[in-house]
Structure formats: C-alpha cells, structure tokens
Amino acid sequence: MSSSFTTLEEIYRHNFPNTLWVSSGQELMNNSPVPCQVFPLVSGGSSGGNLFSSSSGFCNGVYVSSSSQARPSVSTVQRDRMTVADVSGEGQRQECSVEIQSLQLINQPQEQKNMTWSSDQLQGFFDFPVPDPQAESSRTMVSSKEVLLKYEWPDWADQLISDDGLEPNWSELLGDPNVLNQDSKITTSSSDITRQEIVFKNQHQVDPSMEPFDTKNSPASSMTSKQRMRWTPELHEAFVEAINQLGGSERATPKAVLKLMNSPGLTIYHVKSHLQKYRTARYNPELSENTEEPQVKNLKTIEDIKSLDLKTSIEITEALRLQMKVQKQLHEQLEIQRSLQLQIEEQGRYLQTMIEKQQKMRENKKDSEADPSAPSPNPSQAFLPKATNSEPSITQKQQNGISTMDQSESASGTSNRKRVRED
Amino acid sequence: MKFGKEFRTHLEETLPEWRDKFLCYKPLKKLLKYYPYSSDHLDSRPVFADTTNISSATDDGDVAPGVRPTEDLQGSFVRILNEELEKFNDFYVDKEEDFVIRLQELKERIEQVKEKNGKNGEFASESEFSEEMMDIRRDLVTIHGEMVLLKNYSSLNFAGLVKILKKYDKRTGGLLRLPFTQLVLHQPFFTTEPLTKLVRDCEANLELLFPSEAEVVESSSTVQAHSSSHQHNSPRISAETSSTLGNENLDIYKSTLAAMRAIRGLQKASSTYNPLSFSSLLQNEDDETVTAENSPNSENKDDSEKEDTGPSH
C-alpha cells in the first residue's frame, strides 16, 4: 500500500508542481484517518464521458476512516465549477493530498455526491489570469478594510434587532444610501479573490495517470442514484424549454427531457428529481390561486370595496417593504461577512507561505554554508518582525529532518495565526 | 463560548424546519471537551517525523500539551465533520434548486400578468390585477427572504466549522484546521455565488415592479394610518406586520432578525484575541493608529477617510 501511495503521490506532485502537500506521506500512512483532499482543479479536459473531465473543477475530498472500521464512509466532495474560482482565495497554492485507501474505496458503489456541471461556465473558467498573489492579497485587504470602515449598521436595523420596543428611524430606513455603496466594494473584493484563485492553465491537460482514478469513478457514480447536482438558472431554462416542447410538465417524461436537453453529464436521476420538484412547484401556486379568489370575491361583496382594499393593501405593502428592507440589510451583512471570512483564510495562508519561504531560505542558506552544528537560531528576526516564540518549534522540526512544506506551514500557521500581525 | 451561545440562540429563533440542518456545534465541543481522557499518548515531544504535533506552542495550559490526537479521535472527528458537510451540502443544494425553480415560476407569472394586463380586458377589475401583483410581490419577498436565510445558514455553518476546527487544533495539537478549511471553502454549501445571483435577480425584479419609494398615499384616512404607523413603536408595527404578513412571511421575518442578531454577536469581540477576527477588523481596538474617527462602535462609524491604518488587517 505504501508503495502505491507513494507512486500516486509522485504522480500528483509531478503533474501539479504548484501544489502544496498538506500532510506528509508518512503521516498518512501511519494515521490513516486523515482528512483532506483538495485536488487542484483539474481542467475539464478531453477524455470524453467521464466525470473527471466533464466537470471543470473536480475536487475529490475523500475522508476515509481507519480501515479497522466496519463500514468506512467515503464521501467524495467535488468542487463546483466556476464558483470555486470565485470563492477560494488560495493564491498560488493548492493543497493536495491523497489517501490511498480512498481510491480503493471509490470503487465501491458509494454515494457519489456533488457532481457539478456547467459546461457553459467552463469557458469562463479558464479565462482568469494568473495573478500576483502578494499584490492581490494586500490590495484585497485594503479594500475590504475600506468596506469595513465605511460599514455602518443603520440605527433602524440595530433597534429592530436589539430591542423591539424602540422606534425605528424611518427617515434613515427609507433613505439609507450606505448600504448600497458597499456592494460595489464587496464585489471588488470578491473579484480580487476570484483572481487569486489558481488558474489551472498549467494543469489544463487531463492527466493520463489520473485516468485509472477516473474510470473507477465513473462506473461508480453512474451506478448511484443520488448525485448532487447544482441546477443553475440556465440549466433550468433548458429544462423548462424541453418540458414545454414535450407538452407540459405532466406529459413530459424524464427520458424524453433528458434526451432533449442533451446536456453532458446529466443523468436521468437528476432529471427525475428535478421534474418532481418542478411539478410540485407548479401545482402549489395553482392551488393557492384557485382558493384565494373566492375569498376575495366574498370580501368584496360585503364591504366597501375601494377603501378597504386600499387600506389593506397599504398595510400589506408597508409590511412587505419593511420585510424587504430587513432582508436586504441582512444580505449585505452576509456579503460583508463572507468576504471577511475569505479574507481571513487567505491572509492566514499568505502568512504561512511567507514564513515557510523564509524557512526554506534559511535552510538553503544553512546547507550552503555547510554549518551542521549550529542549531538554527531563533528565526524570528529573520522574517516577520513580530513573529512570536512559536518559531523554535518549527526549527526543531526542521532539525528533525522534517522538511515537508505542509508541516512547517501548518505548524507555523496554527501558532502564528493567533499572534502575528501581517505587515 | 460566545459563538456557541449566539449559535444556539439563532437556532432557536430560526425557521423550525431548518434547525437540525445546522452544524452540531455543541456536541462537537463536548466531544473535544472529553478528549484528554480518551487519549493514551503522553509524548510531549514530536519524536517521529510524521507527528503533527506542535504542542509546545499551544497556549492551552490545562490539557496535556504533548498529547497527540489519537487515531480514534481524529478519525471520528473527521468522520463527523464529513457527515456534517454532507448534510449541509444536501440541504443547500436542494434548497438552491428549489429557489431556481420557484424564481423561474414567479418570473413566468409576472409575464403572464403583464400580458393579461396588456390585453385590456382580461382582468375583471383593477383590484384583481393589484391582487395578483400583491401576491407576486409577497411571493418575491418570501423567496428573497428564504434565499438570504440560506446564505446566512451557509455563513453560520462555515463560521462554526472554523471555530470547531480551531478548538480541535488547540485542544489536541492536531493540524486539522487548515486542510479541512480548504476543503470546506470549496464545498457547494459555501460557494454561494449562484445564490447571490438569484438574490440579485429577485431584488431587481422587485425594484422593477414595485419601485420602493413610489408608495405615496393620498387619502386622509390612509395618511393617518400611515403616519401613525410611522410614529408608533415597532411593537405596533410588528403587530400590523404580523397581521398582514401571514404566518410564512412572519416566520421569515423573525428569522431574518435573528440572523442579524447572530451576525452582530459574531462581530463583537470575543474572549480570545485574534487580529484576524471580525471584531479586530471592525473595531481596530489595538491598532496603533486608532483615531477619534475609529470609534469602537460600528454603528457610529461614519468616517471614510481612513484608508491604510498601519498594519492593515
């Protein structure tokens, strides 16, 4: 097992030179239940018909519990197509580790989840330029900082959520421009984050050595019925069109729809479940429409129509408007929070890479100086001036011969993250 | 601890059918709490090359710092987290699909109503038309609310995951956080861009159909009702709101408020200082260049001058 694992690792390393190995091979072998596997985004290359190629970002996250377990649970996680690019501020690094057992387990007809498809978005995916992570990250930090500084939690929202007895400030409620200003900033930040995503131009070609992996996947996935698929509006439109061509949601059959849609990777199970949902969604509004009308008519005959309607509708309108305001506000908040979350993660990783680079430099320096006896001095002066005393632990590791990048990165990351300020 | 409390409070106040779809934060915390007693290792030094222990750096004094996370704990922890991820993803993608369908339906309805209106005579009266529009509006607001709540779901769960991973690393000296976080970042439930697009779409439609400032009330009686609703406290408004919104919308409304409270709570300073936390970023408490403008209270902030404040975060 170890040999095959090593081979696989080598293959991955060879083909994805930019990747960062998070956990060392040794560790993986010794402690079997190890997490993680974010494959670099393998492009949707050429090999037809199998999962690996048709999904643009295929990330196998496989967590395998220790083999002693009676029923190891395998969950494969796949990255979404373009959304990955949008989301992860990974900079230039990717982490990739492979659990050998996972490959074997994938053969089993486990539930394959998370298949994401969008061939049209595949195109846009490769258009992102490869950025300079440092510049980007500092810029994004600044811009998000601006966002935060300009951020204002309007009084009305504050009062709404803190104390129900307070009166919301209606003027502010109605005329709060700040909320909208941040949107542009946020999108700037997130687009910067997008550009930081590694662009897989280097890893564009489908790796032939990955094929065994792929072929193991495809039969397994086609066997399972429950596949997680993300329906985009575009895909749904195609679906609706197919339905209409076939004469309506009641008459259309999944098979026919599937054929009409002719979307690669779409299986009949997807279509079936989606059709079911579609039918339910259509059925319900029809029901409600039919039941509401008679009630409305009764009301009209009894009371003075116009004034009552007007008053009710005013009230309803006001209520809806208030609700909408609150929701919009929450949404803005969430956008900010999300960009923050991404920034934090990005910054953390950036710090690690810096530290690790410094360490490498020191190592190289040490090697070149042929100075074996000296225990590495406290490297904190060497790099980030505000680095803390967690460095010695890292250097000790180096002395022990651990030079795996993941080790030092993680080690420094977890300890430094708490204290080190970014410069 | 603060997060846990905020989280739990939010759970209680959010949509009932969503409650068990959230992260099981408390149980995971408990699992970690009992961790030292389940471990057999007492190594304080990383002897083997593959040990992921940097225990000497942890500042958790009470736990035996050098204890390596046992395979059992790590295995089960990871397994649980995986299951949680599955749960999130399933729920999220399912909901997302629902929203796509429903929004599409709403748009179709709008088209139909527009057509009907254009045909000049399909509608018996104006009120029927406005009734239709009111329905559509209500549905749009509802779906918007749900979508935003789903975003909140995603964000809260992510925050919870990150926190619990931090606790795990702190407690056991493991190195689970980074790789796992990387994995989480790419999960469907956290890649919310499609959902954001839907939300924007929804908002655009609402704007188009019901321009926000155009609700001018002419008649005196209604003006009175209008102004009285302005002047009165929000209990009055909530009473009106509750009576007019209907149960479904009311639930969403309450959940939305709860979500905002939760976010506020997260943004407040926590017990452990972290320069990369929300509170630090928002408040700049320890920043050297704290100025008068840099008030700790975010809602009082009105400055926009400060661009680069020293070591920016």
Side-chain angles (χ1 to χ4, degrees):
Chain A
M1 224 187 252
S2 63
S3 61
S4 50
F5 172 82
T6 320
T7 314
L8 208 56
E9 194 179 25
E10 282 167 11
I11 290 170
Y12 292 144
R13 282 190 199 244
H14 164 68
N15 286 300
F16 307 108
N18 295 333
T19 61
L20 176 70
W21 291 89
V22 174
S23 35
S24 71
Q26 293 290 17
E27 184 204 358
L28 277 179
M29 293 321 297
N30 294 336
N31 313 337
S32 52
V34 166
C36 200
Q37 343 3 56
V38 175
F39 275 175
L41 282 171
V42 178
S43 70
S46 53
S47 50
N50 68 38
L51 288 183
F52 213 89
S53 57
S54 55
S55 65
S56 64
F58 189 96
C59 159
N60 267 338
V62 180
Y63 283 72
V64 181
S65 49
S66 66
S67 47
S68 59
Q69 303 261 331
R71 189 183 181 280
S73 57
V74 176
S75 55
T76 54
V77 174
Q78 301 185 17
R79 237 183 244 182
D80 196 3
R81 7 135 228 184
M82 194 151 120
T83 56
V84 180
D86 300 339
V87 163
S88 162
E90 279 186 355
Q92 287 291 347
R93 310 185 124 259
Q94 275 178 330
E95 295 160 10
C96 175
S97 68
V98 174
E99 171 66 55
I100 184 67
Q101 297 167 355
S102 68
L103 296 180
Q104 296 166 355
L105 284 168
I106 280 173
N107 289 338
Q108 302 175 12
Q110 297 277 351
E111 288 183 354
Q112 294 273 333
K113 313 251 170 87
N114 280 353
M115 294 199 356
T116 62
W117 318 90
S118 180
S119 46
D120 38 335
Q121 294 201 2
L122 197 67
Q123 295 308 315
F125 196 66
F126 299 118
D127 293 337
F128 290 159
V130 180
D132 172 18
Q134 296 185 12
E136 289 289 350
S137 55
S138 54
R139 241 193 301 141
T140 49
M141 267 326 271
V142 170
S143 63
S144 67
K145 193 82 153 106
E146 290 170 12
V147 170
L148 296 170
L149 294 176
K150 291 178 189 175
Y151 176 73
E152 201 178 284
W153 189 285
D155 285 339
W156 66 270
D158 191 24
Q159 287 162 358
L160 263 181
I161 66 177
S162 58
D163 184 358
D164 279 349
L166 292 180
E167 172 194 344
N169 190 343
W170 282 93
S171 56
E172 212 166 318
L173 181 104
L174 292 176
D176 192 287
N178 290 343
V179 173
L180 300 170
N181 286 345
Q182 296 153 26
D183 194 24
S184 50
K185 291 275 178 169
I186 292 164
T187 45
T188 318
S189 318
S190 53
S191 61
D192 283 346
I193 292 171
T194 305
R195 289 199 183 83
Q196 286 186 22
E197 178 64 19
I198 296 175
V199 188
F200 318 94
K201 284 186 179 168
N202 328 345
Q203 299 145 7
H204 203 201
Q205 63 281 3
V206 174
D207 178 5
S209 57
M210 299 271 261
E211 298 262 62
F213 190 70
D214 306 341
T215 52
K216 281 176 196 167
N217 254 339
S218 354
S221 60
S222 57
M223 273 192 287
T224 60
S225 57
K226 190 177 176 194
Q227 296 172 12
R228 194 177 297 118
M229 173 152 173
R230 287 187 97 165
W231 282 86
T232 65
E234 295 83 24
L235 199 57
H236 181 68
E237 265 183 43
F239 174 85
V240 170
E241 225 181 89
I243 292 277
N244 289 335
Q245 278 185 36
L246 291 171
S249 60
E250 295 300 317
R251 293 176 61 182
T253 67
K255 205 169 178 182
V257 172
L258 182 63
K259 206 165 176 200
L260 263 182
M261 282 180 75
N262 200 20
S263 179
L266 194 58
T267 71
I268 195 161
Y269 301 104
H270 295 148
V271 175
K272 254 193 209 168
S273 72
H274 195 72
L275 184 61
Q276 197 173 13
K277 282 191 175 172
Y278 184 71
R279 284 180 181 154
T280 318
R282 296 215 95 175
Y283 190 60
N284 282 342
E286 281 176 20
L287 274 184
S288 58
E289 275 174 23
N290 290 337
T291 52
E292 271 184 34
E293 278 192 26
Q295 295 169 9
V296 167
K297 281 179 183 151
N298 287 339
L299 202 61
K300 281 181 184 169
T301 54
I302 294 172
E303 262 134 345
D304 185 11
I305 300 172
K306 290 220 161 138
S307 64
L308 184 71
D309 269 357
L310 197 54
K311 184 161 187 199
T312 314
S313 70
I314 293 293
E315 286 176 1
I316 295 178
T317 306
E318 281 306 316
L320 285 179
R321 203 183 340 152
L322 173 65
Q323 183 179 355
M324 197 58 200
K325 280 282 177 184
V326 167
Q327 283 167 193
K328 268 191 179 168
Q329 184 64 22
L330 176 59
H331 187 234
E332 298 299 336
Q333 283 278 295
L334 285 170
E335 288 286 285
I336 292 172
Q337 179 157 350
R338 182 187 164 76
S339 69
L340 267 185
Q341 283 170 336
L342 293 175
Q343 288 292 340
I344 289 172
E345 295 302 319
E346 170 59 29
Q347 283 305 315
R349 299 198 57 200
Y350 175 61
L351 287 176
Q352 291 155 34
T353 64
M354 291 302 290
I355 290 171
E356 176 220 311
K357 275 181 190 163
Q358 293 277 359
Q359 286 174 355
K360 286 214 104 170
M361 273 166 49
R362 298 201 112 260
E363 255 188 47
N364 294 341
K365 200 178 169 196
K366 267 193 295 181
D367 290 344
S368 63
E369 287 173 3
D371 189 2
S373 58
S376 42
N378 193 340
S380 53
Q381 293 102 15
F383 26 111
L384 308 170
K386 295 182 186 175
T388 65
N389 54 3
S390 57
E391 308 305 335
S393 64
I394 299 166
T395 56
Q396 275 166 13
K397 278 197 180 300
Q398 288 182 334
Q399 280 184 316
N400 287 340
I402 303 170
S403 58
T404 52
M405 311 197 301
D406 52 338
Q407 287 289 339
S408 47
E409 177 205 14
S410 308
S412 55
T414 45
S415 49
N416 278 317
R417 192 177 292 223
K418 290 185 182 158
R419 295 169 206 159
V420 174
R421 279 176 182 250
E422 166 223 351
D423 280 346
Chain B
M1 194 53 216
K2 248 203 143 191
F3 176 82
K5 187 144 182 276
E6 292 291 341
F7 195 72
R8 200 178 58 235
T9 314
H10 178 79
L11 273 188
E12 287 162 15
E13 295 172 351
T14 193
L15 298 174
E17 54 270 11
W18 289 28
R19 275 191 202 128
D20 58 346
K21 304 290 183 190
F22 278 85
L23 177 70
C24 54
Y25 185 74
K26 211 60 195 291
L28 280 170
K29 246 175 69 171
K30 283 210 172 112
L31 183 68
L32 286 180
K33 199 171 159 191
Y34 298 122
Y35 156 67
Y37 302 104
S38 60
S39 165
D40 297 327
H41 294 84
L42 290 174
D43 292 339
S44 60
R45 271 277 180 270
V47 177
F48 298 102
D50 54 340
T51 314
T52 59
N53 200 358
I54 46 152
S55 50
S56 50
T58 60
D59 45 13
D60 207 6
D62 52 335
V63 181
V67 177
R68 193 171 105 193
T70 62
E71 297 186 11
D72 291 339
L73 178 74
Q74 179 149 350
S76 58
F77 198 78
V78 165
R79 206 174 346 114
I80 293 174
L81 285 184
N82 267 329
E83 285 167 10
E84 292 291 290
L85 284 182
E86 285 302 308
K87 186 173 81 176
F88 300 157
N89 285 330
D90 281 339
F91 180 68
Y92 183 89
V93 172
D94 196 53
K95 277 284 176 184
E96 193 185 53
E97 189 177 345
D98 273 343
F99 292 147
V100 168
I101 295 178
R102 279 162 64 186
L103 194 59
Q104 177 72 16
E105 285 304 300
L106 274 177
K107 285 201 229 172
E108 275 179 25
R109 268 171 73 188
I110 292 173
E111 286 304 315
Q112 283 172 4
V113 170
K114 270 189 192 167
E115 271 182 34
K116 268 186 172 183
N117 205 28
K119 274 189 198 162
N120 264 356
E122 213 28 76
F123 273 110
S125 67
E126 178 113 358
S127 58
E128 202 179 307
F129 170 71
S130 61
E131 184 75 30
E132 270 289 317
M133 290 306 267
M134 193 55 74
D135 276 346
I136 290 180
R137 183 177 194 173
R138 190 193 293 256
D139 285 343
L140 272 174
V141 173
T142 305
I143 198 176
H144 182 268
E146 286 186 39
M147 288 200 277
V148 175
L149 282 173
L150 189 66
K151 268 197 126 183
N152 177 57
Y153 167 88
S154 162
S155 175
L156 214 54
N157 281 330
F158 179 79
L161 277 174
V162 167
K163 287 224 179 239
I164 203 77
L165 284 169
K166 245 201 239 176
K167 288 196 197 299
Y168 177 86
D169 280 355
K170 197 169 163 182
R171 193 88 178 159
T172 68
L175 286 178
L176 192 53
R177 179 184 172 193
L178 284 175
F180 204 95
T181 307
Q182 285 310 306
L183 180 73
V184 172
L185 280 175
H186 301 116
Q187 295 294 302
F189 86 91
F190 194 63
T191 53
T192 58
E193 279 70 25
L195 188 62
T196 307
K197 282 193 205 143
L198 287 177
V199 172
R200 298 282 179 225
D201 194 1
C202 200
E203 286 174 6
N205 269 306
L206 271 167
E207 271 304 307
L208 218 58
L209 295 177
F210 310 104
S212 35
E213 307 301 329
E215 319 275 357
V216 178
V217 177
E218 300 290 351
S219 72
S220 58
S221 59
T222 48
V223 163
Q224 216 170 25
H226 201 53
S227 55
S228 68
S229 69
H230 279 189
Q231 289 162 7
H232 279 65
N233 296 336
S234 70
R236 166 76 191 256
I237 290 170
S238 354
E240 279 185 17
T241 308
S242 61
S243 64
T244 54
L245 274 186
N247 283 338
E248 191 188 7
N249 284 28
L250 190 60
D251 274 346
I252 293 176
Y253 181 68
K254 280 195 203 159
S255 306
T256 309
L257 292 182
M260 295 214 287
R261 268 186 289 254
I263 294 183
R264 288 295 306 288
L266 280 185
Q267 288 171 356
K268 290 200 182 117
S270 72
S271 52
T272 60
Y273 174 71
N274 183 356
L276 295 178
S277 71
F278 291 156
S279 57
S280 305
L281 292 169
L282 287 174
Q283 296 177 17
N284 301 313
E285 287 164 343
D286 295 341
D287 207 323
E288 293 98 61
T289 61
V290 166
T291 65
E293 300 159 303
N294 203 4
S295 63
N297 233 349
S298 54
E299 59 258 42
N300 294 338
K301 245 187 267 207
D302 54 357
D303 85 296
S304 47
E305 316 304 326
K306 212 153 40 71
E307 297 261 322
D308 294 296
T309 59
S312 60
H313 290 290

